[in-house]
Amino acid sequence: MLIGKTCRLGRRVRTYSVQHLARLFTSSGNMAKSKFEYVRAFETDDTCLRNCYIVVRLDGRNFHKFAAQHKFTKPNDDRALGLMGRSACSVMEELEDITIAYGQSDEFSFVFKRTSTWFKRRASKLMTHVASQFSSSFVFYWKEFFGEQPLLYPPGFDGRVILYPSNRNLRDYLCWRQADCHINNLYNTVFWTLVQKGGLTTAQAEDRLKGTLAADKNEILFAEFDINYNNEAALHRKGTTLIWEKRDETVTKCMKLLNKEEKDVPVTRSRRRVEAYHCDIIGDKFWEEHPDILEDDNC
């Protein structure tokens, strides 16, 4: 005997059996799944290759316009750079398998250790989680760096995932990004010095710098404006490198003694924290001082 259910649609009344309704939401393979679940087969497998470092790089979308509308200081706005670094720290604190991150201008690269199994190493999951955490942190911490200056609209960041199979490949990638930081910052420093102190228009400054090499740009700064580029802030020349480090912290803890008296006792403990460096990562010194960042190439 079938138990019927009545459904009224406008003026028509239709009766469905419980068995008929059940067939819509079951399959012969698994009674707990609906027949519509076959659509999952359309998902592509984007699992990252094992034993490779996973790098997620974020870049600001249309940030020239964003910087102009929010009146960023040229050539470098320390408020914006500080906000980028704070947002990147938030990402690392949320995803502890990130061993190192490097950022400059409107970009940040996050390196997941090669043995990471976060999100089953799915590229789309890793990229979207990093992008969403970074973007939301950028908005959340805006006031901390820009005070009462309003955020006119939310920023956008696009992301990509790159795999590097060896320590040498990963180091070369990070060296490439820091070399890019130096090239761009040297150009921007000279360009805006010519505009702000030299009285040139942006078109004239651009024309003046066409075909110049690094030595030429340094000469313009030193000979015409008495500026030694090497004395510029390391944050601007070297970018920001974030790594995990252990730090000893001493806190006061109330302890009960044998005579039931209470006494404040200093207690020292080690905690992992994200630390920021503005230093050279192209040479060997940084890597020798922080050997725990890279994993064994024979894993």
Side-chain angles (χ1 to χ4, degrees):
M1 176 179 175
L2 300 181
I3 302 175
K5 296 291 184 181
T6 300
C7 178
R8 182 178 299 274
L9 299 174
R11 295 181 178 179
R12 294 184 300 170
V13 177
R14 299 184 65 179
T15 301
Y16 292 88
S17 69
V18 172
Q19 290 181 359
H20 178 75
L21 289 170
R23 281 197 296 270
L24 291 175
F25 301 102
T26 60
S27 64
S28 58
N30 189 333
M31 296 297 289
K33 299 178 180 180
S34 77
K35 71 173 186 177
F36 306 114
E37 195 173 5
Y38 78 92
V39 297
R40 292 183 61 183
F42 287 82
E43 294 183 19
T44 57
D45 182 6
D46 61 349
T47 304
C48 294
L49 190 67
R50 293 178 59 187
N51 298 336
C52 290
Y53 291 104
I54 303 172
V55 176
V56 178
R57 186 166 90 233
L58 301 183
D59 291 278
R61 180 181 177 276
N62 203 4
F63 242 60
H64 288 293
K65 177 182 176 182
F66 184 87
Q69 292 187 335
H70 288 87
K71 297 179 173 57
F72 282 11
T73 304
K74 300 292 186 180
N76 293 290
D77 192 306
D78 288 340
R79 300 169 302 170
L81 293 173
L83 178 55
M84 291 285 292
R86 182 64 187 89
S87 301
C89 281
S90 175
V91 174
M92 289 187 68
E93 290 163 355
E94 178 72 16
L95 300 171
E96 295 184 9
D97 266 9
I98 297 173
T99 59
I100 183 172
Y102 176 78
Q104 50 113 352
S105 186
D106 64 340
E107 73 168 58
F108 242 101
S109 296
F110 299 90
V111 181
F112 287 81
K113 61 185 182 182
R114 64 201 315 173
T115 53
S116 177
T117 57
W118 278 70
F119 304 112
K120 298 182 180 179
R121 295 180 69 87
R122 290 191 60 184
S124 57
K125 290 278 190 178
L126 292 166
M127 181 177 66
T128 53
H129 198 112
V130 169
S132 62
Q133 183 71 26
F134 189 92
S135 300
S136 59
S137 297
F138 192 96
V139 174
F140 184 80
Y141 293 110
W142 173 270
K143 193 171 183 179
E144 182 178 320
F145 292 87
F146 284 85
E148 297 304 315
Q149 179 177 331
L151 179 63
L152 302 178
Y153 58 90
F157 294 89
D158 64 70
R160 71 198 71 185
V161 174
I162 319 108
L163 304 181
Y164 292 104
S166 70
N167 289 339
R168 184 73 266 166
N169 294 152
L170 177 64
R171 280 189 57 177
D172 285 348
Y173 168 79
L174 294 170
C175 290
W176 171 48
R177 300 322 303 147
Q178 188 167 70
D180 186 74
C181 172
H182 164 70
I183 293 169
N184 291 337
N185 188 67
L186 177 58
Y187 180 91
N188 289 333
T189 299
V190 182
F191 179 89
W192 286 107
T193 299
L194 288 170
V195 172
Q196 295 168 352
K197 296 183 178 181
L200 300 186
T201 65
T202 54
Q204 290 171 332
E206 184 177 358
D207 188 64
R208 173 80 187 276
L209 293 177
K210 280 183 180 177
T212 58
L213 303 176
D216 302 320
K217 295 180 179 70
N218 276 292
E219 181 64 20
I220 292 173
L221 286 174
F222 189 75
E224 299 182 26
F225 302 99
D226 196 28
I227 295 175
N228 185 339
Y229 179 73
N230 291 326
N231 293 334
E232 294 295 295
L235 167 63
H236 305 157
R237 293 182 293 110
K238 302 294 185 181
T240 299
T241 302
L242 302 177
I243 61 173
W244 288 100
E245 285 193 335
K246 284 186 178 180
R247 288 283 188 268
D248 289 338
E249 293 183 353
T250 301
V251 297
T252 302
K253 191 173 182 179
C254 184
M255 305 285 289
K256 285 188 177 181
L257 304 180
L258 294 176
N259 58 6
K260 296 185 179 180
E261 291 183 2
E262 294 185 350
K263 182 179 180 181
D264 289 337
V265 179
V267 177
T268 301
R269 57 189 179 187
S270 294
R271 299 188 65 177
R272 289 178 80 232
R273 294 181 55 184
V274 178
E275 297 290 339
Y277 286 86
H278 311 296
C279 63
D280 177 73
I281 59 173
I282 295 177
D284 294 329
K285 183 180 177 182
F286 173 83
W287 303 98
E288 291 170 354
E289 292 176 348
H290 304 94
D292 296 336
I293 296 174
L294 301 177
E295 297 177 80
D296 190 348
D297 262 336
N298 297 319
C299 68

